[in-house]
Amino acid sequence: MRSARNSRYIKKFNRSLILKSILRNSMSRAELSDKIGLTRAAVTVIIEDMIRSGVISEAGKSNTSSGRKPVILDINPDGAFAFGVDITREGCYIGLVDIKGNLRDKEGFLFGGSDKADGSLEKIAESINRIISRNNIGRGRIRGAGISAPGPLDVFQGVILNPPNFDEWHNIRMNDFFMSRFSFAVNLENNANAYALYEKNYGRGAKFNSFVLIAVTTGVGAGIVLNQQLYRGADGFGSEIGHTSIDFDGPECDCGNKGCLELYSSVPSILKYAGTCGISVSGWQEIADKAEKGDKGCIELIRREAGYLSAGIINCINLLETEAIILSGDISYKPEILVEKIRKETEGKVITRGLHNVSIFGGSKIEDLNIVSAASIVFDRMFCNI
Ligand SMILES: [Zn+2]
């Protein structure tokens, strides 16, 4: 019994390893065998199976100068799909994404004043059904739905628990709803974790073994990737960088702590401070646009944001010593000035100074990153053998 379980596990593990390797670089069977340390025969058996199931395709011959040209393997973008659903306090965004991370179709709606979660779930289900029939996708190729939503979440049971300022969506059992409507399960994560999974598999985090993604929006969240795995904490409530204190004498936070990073560096906090200085701006985009044109007030707002975020980033680097810090959410819009100031602010203040450089940069810029990131929660499970 145990050996049957072990062999199933090893088979699944090898399939994940092969998928992940080919996602990064298309390659021949021989190159794959060298890269992952499996025999040619073992690679061939798994590859034949994956070609039959449509996930991998043969993409032509490689350009070697002599001898028989090997066939190059690639991920077949039509072989597997996932739905990405981003639930925000303003509305829901739903899309169909292929295994290579391309958005194929999308819909979305904003909440009306009296909308209940039940009605919104129905609308999400209707959107998914419309998208399936519009794109003529066989249900067998849909690997699941990834959902990003405001936390706290029970990511293991697929339940939205009790996010603040989102009362209609308390104790919503997403997994139960999706299982009853569709033949596929859902995987739930907060938006920072979803963004981190996109960056890890398809984006600017792919070349790193470890990074911390910091998402600044109405709140401040983090997605922590260690050894190419998302770190969630014991019960899935970890990575709350927004509620780490940068001033133990600071103002009280709803979480019970004082001087939390989020109280200083979330977008509403920036805008509130801007108001007290007589700077009229409506959001981060306007601040970044004006700073780029040399507006002194907006440059000062970015310098202040860089100072606060740096306090959190220095803590992250000293605690985890990751290879990179990725800035995401609203602040990934024109992040150059912010990144430059954070680099200046953090250099010389971390234990690793003079030993190695931690890369700090803005996250990937693609359209509908929120939807594609939500779908990547599902694909990450295929690539990581979860
Ligand atoms: Zn707090």
Side-chain angles (χ1 to χ4, degrees):
M1 185 65 188
R2 173 174 288 180
S3 78
R5 252 205 317 268
N6 280 348
S7 85
R8 263 205 310 275
Y9 175 83
I10 290 167
K11 201 172 157 196
K12 215 170 148 230
F13 179 84
N14 287 337
R15 288 172 68 95
S16 301
L17 202 57
I18 286 174
L19 261 186
K20 194 160 68 175
S21 304
I22 300 179
L23 177 72
R24 298 274 153 85
N25 287 303
S26 52
M27 61 182 86
S28 68
R29 287 171 176 80
E31 288 167 326
L32 192 57
S33 163
D34 285 347
K35 184 174 167 57
I36 64 177
L38 274 181
T39 63
R40 281 289 301 273
V43 164
T44 300
V45 170
I46 300 173
I47 290 295
E48 295 320 308
D49 189 34
M50 291 171 100
I51 288 175
R52 263 196 305 277
S53 70
V55 179
I56 285 180
S57 58
E58 293 182 324
K61 309 266 168 102
S62 73
N63 290 321
T64 50
S65 53
S66 61
R68 214 173 112 231
K69 294 186 172 168
V71 174
I72 294 301
L73 303 167
D74 204 350
I75 301 276
N76 173 16
D78 292 321
F81 296 87
F83 277 93
V85 181
D86 182 31
I87 298 172
T88 72
R89 289 182 176 82
E90 290 76 41
C92 296
Y93 306 90
I94 303 117
L96 179 71
V97 179
D98 70 38
I99 187 172
K100 291 194 98 172
N102 305 305
L103 180 72
R104 297 293 192 92
D105 198 355
K106 66 171 178 177
E107 292 193 2
F109 60 90
L110 295 174
F111 296 133
S114 57
D115 281 1
K116 301 266 189 271
D118 287 356
S120 300
L121 284 174
E122 292 297 338
K123 283 189 188 173
I124 292 172
E126 286 162 15
S127 275
I128 289 177
N129 281 326
R130 274 194 300 272
I131 290 173
I132 289 174
S133 48
R134 254 201 319 266
N135 292 274
N136 199 19
I137 299 285
R139 300 252 172 164
R141 282 185 293 160
I142 300 171
R143 299 303 180 106
I147 297 180
S148 58
L153 310 168
D154 182 338
V155 296
F156 302 111
Q157 302 294 325
V159 183
I160 299 177
L161 293 174
N162 54 347
N165 307 316
F166 207 30
D167 294 354
E168 300 293 352
W169 284 76
H170 283 194
N171 299 311
I172 303 297
R173 307 187 71 83
M174 301 299 289
N175 197 48
D176 292 355
F177 177 81
F178 272 78
M179 286 303 282
S180 71
R181 289 307 172 91
F182 304 101
S183 53
F184 47 81
V186 296
N187 303 119
L188 198 59
E189 295 286 357
N190 66 41
N191 66 349
N193 279 349
Y195 287 144
L197 291 176
Y198 175 82
E199 296 293 353
K200 163 183 172 310
N201 290 304
Y202 303 104
R204 303 189 69 192
K207 63 179 177 179
F208 300 103
N209 259 319
S210 61
F211 64 83
V212 177
L213 174 140
I214 298 177
V216 177
T217 54
T218 52
V220 176
I224 299 175
V225 170
L226 300 176
N227 298 323
Q228 295 192 23
Q229 298 271 357
L230 184 70
Y231 177 79
R232 295 183 176 84
D235 285 321
F237 301 116
S239 312
E240 287 289 352
I241 193 175
H243 296 284
T244 56
S245 178
I246 56 170
D247 179 3
F248 66 78
D249 278 333
E252 277 189 18
C253 179
D254 289 342
C255 73
N257 203 355
K258 280 185 177 176
C260 289
L261 178 62
E262 183 168 294
L263 298 176
Y264 304 91
S265 58
S266 68
V267 171
S269 308
I270 305 166
L271 297 180
K272 195 172 158 196
Y273 176 78
T276 63
C277 303
I279 303 171
S280 169
V281 278
S282 60
W284 180 263
Q285 283 206 8
E286 193 179 348
I287 295 172
D289 283 338
K290 285 184 170 169
E292 192 185 43
K293 290 187 184 119
D295 182 297
K296 286 203 169 59
C298 287
I299 291 173
E300 173 56 21
L301 290 178
I302 294 181
R303 189 205 58 74
R304 189 172 176 275
E305 176 72 359
Y308 289 131
L309 284 181
S310 293
I313 288 170
I314 290 164
N315 288 341
C316 276
I317 294 173
N318 284 343
L319 190 64
L320 300 168
E321 205 217 334
T322 54
E323 295 164 304
I325 301 287
I326 303 179
L327 304 177
S328 187
D330 293 1
I331 58 166
S332 65
Y333 175 77
K334 293 187 180 171
E336 292 77 16
I337 299 175
L338 179 69
V339 167
E340 183 210 319
K341 291 189 185 304
I342 288 176
R343 282 188 191 137
K344 271 199 189 123
E345 192 71 34
T346 52
E347 70 183 7
K349 290 185 187 165
V350 289
I351 295 292
T352 52
R353 65 188 185 276
L355 297 172
H356 74 80
N357 251 344
V358 177
S359 302
I360 302 174
F361 52 87
S364 300
K365 292 188 176 83
I366 61 159
E367 277 194 35
D368 302 299
L369 179 64
N370 56 338
I371 296 174
V372 182
S373 295
S376 69
I377 303 168
V378 174
F379 294 126
D380 186 67
R381 298 174 93 83
M382 289 176 72
F383 300 139
C384 287
N385 184 38
I386 300 171

